[in-house]
Each structure stands twice: as structure tokens, then as C-alpha cells.
């Protein structure tokens, strides 16, 4: 199986920055792009469907996949495990399908170590204050979880310069457009 890892876009950035919204816009503009479905031990939020938002598993199942070498990357984030299963990603890439991963900083670092030819983009908020506002107005998490995510967000913001490019999520259509342009340039 020949896999061209330049067709992989790794999008990272702090929780609450709007990665999901920007990716949805990108997918709407490029229906041929495949968004990887991650595996997590986090409980589903209301409305999240197993196999669509995530594959929801318990910690034993997660460790079994990890022990079998099934993850391209995995990391613990705010007390839950998250990972990208390698087979579906490699299969898509081997068929020439562009793939997006929406993952945390630790995971992005792992993929960079194994596949540096992928495109690594950090999605940044217009300001740290705006990120705080977005995180605290989300309302889906307990105060403790929201506080843990805020603390992690500060660490993640500091890592922006490890990425190939930083895209500011000031306006979703503009940010998605910039991402697509960067990706097209990488693959040209
Ligand atoms: P959430 O719980 O809000 O859905 O996700 C929390 C964080 O985990 C986000 O920063 C998200 O990008 C990240 N994440 C989601 N899936 C994965 C994954 O497969 N691997 C890693 N390393 N992080 C992930």
C-alpha cells in the first residue's frame, strides 16, 4: 500500500478555538475530503452519535487497540484518552483521498515525528481573551472540566510555532479558505 502522507492535514489548536466548525466548512467546500473519526474514552455529549462524532470506547478497549499498534497517535487530554486509528487513514490516503485529523497538540507532535511530510496547521483564536469567552460560554462541560480545558489552552497556545502554519479563526469561511489554499500549495 503506497501512502502519500502529503495528503494528510493535521489541524490542531486549543479546545474552544472552533476546529470543528472550520473543518465542517472545509468539508462542505471539498466533499472529497475525509475527516478521520477518532476513538475516545470521553463520554458522549448530548447529540454525539457513536461512529460519527467519535468511536466511544472504555479504557480497556482503548488500551487493547493501542497494544495492538492500532493507533497512528493517541494522547490523554483533560482526563480522557483520544486516538486516531491508523488503518482507515492509511487506506484513504492510499486511494488518493485527502484526510483531515482534528487532534490535540500531543497527538500532532506524534504524527509530525512519524510523518513530517503531512501539513501541520495550528488554528489560533483572534486573542486569548476571545478563546476564554468561547470556552466558558460553551455550556456543555462542568466548571471543573472547563477550567482544565482553559489551563490546557494556555499551554497549547504557546506551542503554535511548532506548526508549519498558524491560521487565525477570525471568521470561519476565511479561515477554512486559507486552510484549503495552504493544503493545495503543499500538494501541488
Ligand atoms: P473534545 O472532547 O472537545 O471532543 O476534544 C478534546 C480535544 O481532543 C480536542 O483538542 C480534540 O482536537 C482532541 N482530539 C480529538 N480526537 C483526537 C485524537 O484522535 N487524537 C488526539 N491526540 N486528540 C484528539
Amino acid at each position: 500500500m503506497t501512502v502519500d502522507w502529503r495528503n494528510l492535514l493535521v489541524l490542531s489548536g486549543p479546545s474552544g478555538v472552533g476546529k470543528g466548525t472550520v473543518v465542517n466548512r472545509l468539508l462542505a467546500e471539498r466533499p472529497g475530503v475525509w475527516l478521520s473519526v477518532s476513538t475516545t474514552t470521553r463520554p458522549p455529549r448530548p447529540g454525539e452519535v457513536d461512529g460519527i462524532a467519535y468511536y466511544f470506547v472504555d479504557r480497556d478497549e482503548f488500551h487493547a487497540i493501542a497494544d495492538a499498534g492500532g493507533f497512528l497517535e493517541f494522547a490523554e487530554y483533560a482526563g480522557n484518552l483520544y486516538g486516531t486509528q491508523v488503518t482507515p487513514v492509511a487506506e484513504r490516503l492510499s486511494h488518493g483521498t485527502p484526510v483531515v485529523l482534528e487532534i490535540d497538540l500531543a497527538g500532532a507532535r506524534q504524527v509530525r515525528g512519524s510523518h513530517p511530510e503531512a501539513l501541520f496547521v495550528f488554528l489560533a483564536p483572534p486573542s486569548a481573551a476571545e478563546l476564554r469567552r468561547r470556552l466558558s460560554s460553551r455550556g456543555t462541560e462542568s466548571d471543573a472540566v472547563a477550567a482544565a480545558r482553559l489551563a490546557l489552552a494556555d499551554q497549547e497556545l504557546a506551542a503554535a510555532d511548532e506548526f508549519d502554519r498558524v491560521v487565525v479563526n477570525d471568521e470561519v469561511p476565511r479561515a477554512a479558505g486559507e486552510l484549503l489554499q495552504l493544503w493545495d500549495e503543499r500538494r501541488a
Side-chain angles (χ1 to χ4, degrees), residues 19 38 42 45 54 73 82-84 102-104 107 149:
K19 295 188 290 280
S38 295
R42 170 170 75 60
R45 295 187 186 124
Y54 282 102
E73 59 74 34
Y82 296 82
T84 306
E102 194 218 297
I103 62 178
D104 84 329
R149 282 171 184 259

Side-chain angles (χ1 to χ4, degrees), residues 8-9 29 58 61 63-65 74-76 88 94 104 131-135 147 151 159 161 180 183:
L8 180 68
L9 169 65
E29 287 192 22
D58 62 30
E61 289 172 291
H63 286 303
I65 299 169
F74 67 94
E76 180 136 14
S94 74
D104 84 329
L131 181 65
R132 279 205 177 75
R133 198 192 59 72
R134 289 184 195 174
L135 264 178
D161 60 3
L180 280 172
W183 205 9

Side-chain angles (χ1 to χ4, degrees), residues 51-119:
I52 296 179
Y54 282 102
Y55 296 106
F56 295 101
V57 298
D58 62 30
R59 286 183 92 90
D60 286 346
E61 289 172 291
F62 194 99
H63 286 303
I65 299 169
D67 290 347
F71 285 121
L72 174 62
E73 59 74 34
F74 67 94
E76 180 136 14
Y77 183 95
N80 296 301
L81 293 163
Y82 296 82
T84 306
Q85 296 201 44
V86 66
T87 305
V89 172
E91 255 168 27
R92 256 67 168 206
L93 291 174
S94 74
H95 293 126
T97 301
V99 175
V100 182
L101 305 186
E102 194 218 297
I103 62 178
D104 84 329
L105 176 62
R109 284 177 172 150
Q110 291 168 44
V111 181
R112 167 150 239 152
S114 53
H115 303 292
E117 61 276 47
L119 176 63

Side-chain angles (χ1 to χ4, degrees), residues 121-141:
V121 175
F122 187 89
L123 193 67
S127 69
E130 173 61 15
L131 181 65
R132 279 205 177 75
R133 198 192 59 72
R134 289 184 195 174
L135 264 178
S136 48
S137 67
R138 197 188 228 171
T140 50
E141 271 101 14

Side-chain angles (χ1 to χ4, degrees), residues 26-50:
L26 186 152
L27 296 175
E29 287 192 22
R30 291 282 171 90
V33 170
W34 185 68
L35 171 64
S36 168
V37 180
S38 295
T39 301
T40 187
T41 62
R42 170 170 75 60
R45 295 187 186 124
E48 284 185 335
V49 176
D50 187 39

